[in-house]
Amino acid sequence: ALRSLTRDFRDPVVWCILAVFARGIVELIVFVLSDQDLVKHDFDEGGAENELAYIYTRLGTPVTAPDAARLHQPQNYLGRIIASIVTCGIYTLFWLYDVMRDGNEHYETNWVWEDSLAQAVQMGEPA
């Protein structure tokens, strides 16, 4: 599943050109697509982490399963678009902040689990 996500290529040059000519609309589209990508990535990554935890536990090196509650849920796109239109684009500044924060929180959350996996692998290695 994660490998198939690598084929979902979003060329940044195309989006930059579109942003120059249709700034507001393109930003909203990019925000929605970025969130959808994060949702797909997070669910696929959670599945892979769960499988790895199961495999390592079966091999005798217990690894805690990832927390299913941490999976990123899709945002209310229609509500955010309406809020952006009603506020004449001011809400898009908060939405941009939220998009950046979501991505950063995703990596910070995964670092904890990946560190526990790395420690389990190191403990399972013969001295």
Side-chain angles (χ1 to χ4, degrees), residues 31-86:
F31 291 163
V32 170
L33 291 177
S34 294
D35 188 64
Q36 289 175 347
D37 287 348
L38 181 58
V39 169
K40 284 192 296 187
H41 173 80
D42 208 16
F43 274 82
D44 291 342
E45 187 174 48
E49 290 171 352
N50 198 31
E51 288 180 27
L52 283 171
Y54 176 76
I55 291 168
Y56 275 97
T57 301
R58 291 285 309 249
L59 292 173
T61 307
V63 175
T64 57
D67 181 17
R70 68 135 174 102
L71 295 176
H72 184 75
Q73 300 299 319
Q75 299 171 349
N76 180 1
Y77 307 125
L78 182 60
R80 287 183 167 225
I81 290 171
I82 291 171
S84 297
I85 293 169
V86 168

Side-chain angles (χ1 to χ4, degrees), residues 4-54:
S4 69
L5 287 175
T6 62
R7 291 189 293 272
D8 290 343
F9 181 66
R10 306 212 192 280
D11 188 7
V13 173
V14 171
W15 288 105
C16 285
I17 291 171
L18 287 172
V20 168
F21 295 105
R23 181 163 175 91
I25 296 169
V26 171
E27 283 179 341
L28 297 178
I29 292 170
V30 168
F31 291 163
V32 170
L33 291 177
S34 294
D35 188 64
Q36 289 175 347
D37 287 348
L38 181 58
V39 169
K40 284 192 296 187
H41 173 80
D42 208 16
F43 274 82
D44 291 342
E45 187 174 48
E49 290 171 352
N50 198 31
E51 288 180 27
L52 283 171
Y54 176 76

Side-chain angles (χ1 to χ4, degrees), residues 54-120:
Y54 176 76
I55 291 168
Y56 275 97
T57 301
R58 291 285 309 249
L59 292 173
T61 307
V63 175
T64 57
D67 181 17
R70 68 135 174 102
L71 295 176
H72 184 75
Q73 300 299 319
Q75 299 171 349
N76 180 1
Y77 307 125
L78 182 60
R80 287 183 167 225
I81 290 171
I82 291 171
S84 297
I85 293 169
V86 168
T87 62
C88 298
I90 294 172
Y91 183 79
T92 59
L93 297 174
F94 171 74
W95 197 354
L96 175 62
Y97 170 81
D98 202 35
V99 167
M100 297 298 140
R101 184 183 49 79
D102 285 345
N104 290 336
E105 284 179 0
H106 170 77
Y107 287 113
E108 289 173 4
T109 302
N110 285 333
W111 285 335
V112 174
W113 188 85
E114 291 168 359
D115 287 344
S116 72
L117 178 63
Q119 290 173 357

